[in-house]
Amino acid sequence: MKKYFVTVAILAVIAACNDSGSKSESSDSSESSSAAPANDPSSNPDYQKGLALVASNDCLTCHKVDEKVTGPAYRDVANKFENTPENVSMLAQKVINGSVGDWGQVAMTPHPALSQADAEQMVKYILLLRNK
């Protein structure tokens, strides 16, 4: 039963963060373009891959897209750090090694089992959430 609720929760997060359903249901290009704003990053492959990794790890326990939980909201992280290769690498290291101090004294739990490539993919997704 617990596995069912976890699966449902993951699917709900993916649905809330990724509005791809309305795009795939219609082949009318005018409807597709009006359904998603021009700055919608959800069609970016980095967004898709990163979201899948975030959803399959424990990230959503402490983070949400637009609200602070234990850790900062993903959008706040995206608005603080520019999407540069240096920042992607640095933030991925914080995901892997953990950190404290950037957002107060609550520590970011380390995730040493994550590869650098997966952590970078997750960070790329997060940085795509930046307010334009």
Side-chain angles (χ1 to χ4, degrees), residues 15-98:
C17 293
N18 182 5
D19 186 25
S20 63
S22 63
K23 292 178 215 163
S24 63
E25 291 175 6
S26 172
S27 61
D28 181 10
S29 63
S30 64
E31 186 176 325
S32 293
S33 63
S34 65
N39 62 354
D40 178 14
S42 65
S43 62
N44 185 315
D46 286 333
Y47 182 98
Q48 300 293 332
K49 292 175 191 172
L51 176 60
L53 286 165
V54 164
S56 67
N57 284 281
D58 66 346
C59 308
L60 298 172
T61 303
C62 298
H63 301 277
K64 303 291 180 226
V65 172
D66 284 311
E67 77 179 79
K68 179 186 182 320
V69 185
T70 304
Y74 285 153
R75 196 166 320 274
D76 291 342
V77 174
N79 290 331
K80 182 174 182 173
F81 296 98
E82 284 189 56
N83 192 347
T84 65
E86 296 80 18
N87 283 342
V88 169
S89 179
M90 177 267 300
L91 291 169
Q93 281 299 301
K94 289 179 182 261
V95 171
I96 293 169
N97 299 323

Side-chain angles (χ1 to χ4, degrees), residues 1-15 52-61 64:
M1 189 65 143
K2 183 178 178 183
K3 185 176 181 180
Y4 169 78
F5 287 115
V6 171
T7 302
V8 169
I10 289 172
L11 291 174
V13 168
I14 290 171
L53 286 165
V54 164
S56 67
N57 284 281
D58 66 346
C59 308
L60 298 172
T61 303
K64 303 291 180 226

